[in-house]
Amino acid sequence: MRGRDAILVNTPDIELWPGGILRARGNRDARALARARAVLRRKRDGALLAAELPEGLLPLVPRLARESGIDAALDALAHRPRAGTRPGIDVVPVLPPTRLHDRLAQLGIDGEAYAEATGLPLQPEPAWLAFAGHDRYRRALWLRADAARGWRHLVAAAARDGVVLEAVSGYRSHDYQAGIFERKLARGLAVADILAVNAAPGWSEHHSGRAVDISAPGQPPAEESFEATPAFAWLQAEAAGFGFSLSYPRDNPHGIVYEPWHWRYDGPAGTDCDRRRLRLH
Ligand SMILES: [Zn+2]
């Protein structure tokens, strides 16, 4: 993997991961992945579809050509930025949410009614994401490029003050969120009950690549008890200076439960000086 320059290229159904990050279950796939320059991963369930090897594309599923969205993914693979280069980070284009309407219909969710009831904005997915380090489970943490940079600065500043911040969750796709609903529906939960704890696919702030769920060593993930930690006290005092704010404070107007762990990057106070610095970076 090419460290902090690694990027994840996003297409409607399939993600293009850089080589060296994803692990395979079987030996054959493990050998291929070890040599892969890029890996195609189905967003819906995380299945590994193909590995791009120096000698060509190796399918990892029987009917790769029939895979939904494969043409767009192969096109993106052919045109993706070369190693060591990446797009500018000021403006990251987003994907049109073309599949979202069908996904919501399949799940029995009325998107317009949900948006109206919660007042939440639709969150399109960025066309690409930057590697922002690892989360507490040693998984790759992907964020929009500016948020990834902001996150690294936040973690470093906290560390200088003796505070360890751990990422629990960063970017996730519409399809991934839909998968959460599918699994819960299969277990017999009702849509309304799931919507009480999970944002509807398309409306989670995590889709934007700007939200990070934060925890601290020894703390459970996504629990209100995080509020009582030194890490939370540090964030309350310092995070705004790094462009991060709490998205869902107590009694927020969206009717979302208090989430002291969920922080969103909005950019450094919006000065021209900062923007210039970002461009030069
Ligand atoms: Zn969150």
Side-chain angles (χ1 to χ4, degrees), residues 169-170 172 204-206 211-214 222 248 259 261-263:
S169 180
R172 66 180 91 112
S204 166
E205 221 166 47
H206 288 278
V212 190
D213 290 340
I214 303 175
Y248 308 116
E259 294 193 355
W261 61 86
H262 178 111
W263 294 75

Side-chain angles (χ1 to χ4, degrees), residues 195-218:
L195 285 173
V197 275
N198 296 102
W203 281 271
S204 166
E205 221 166 47
H206 288 278
H207 301 323
S208 72
R210 296 187 297 139
V212 190
D213 290 340
I214 303 175
S215 191

Side-chain angles (χ1 to χ4, degrees), residues 189-254:
L189 275 77
V191 167
D193 296 334
I194 308 171
L195 285 173
V197 275
N198 296 102
W203 281 271
S204 166
E205 221 166 47
H206 288 278
H207 301 323
S208 72
R210 296 187 297 139
V212 190
D213 290 340
I214 303 175
S215 191
Q219 290 294 318
E223 292 282 345
E224 197 175 307
S225 60
F226 181 61
E227 176 186 48
T229 63
F232 182 75
W234 188 90
L235 287 166
Q236 284 283 67
E238 305 292 342
F242 295 88
F244 282 86
S245 60
L246 195 62
S247 295
Y248 308 116
R250 278 204 174 80
D251 302 320
N252 63 78
H254 308 295

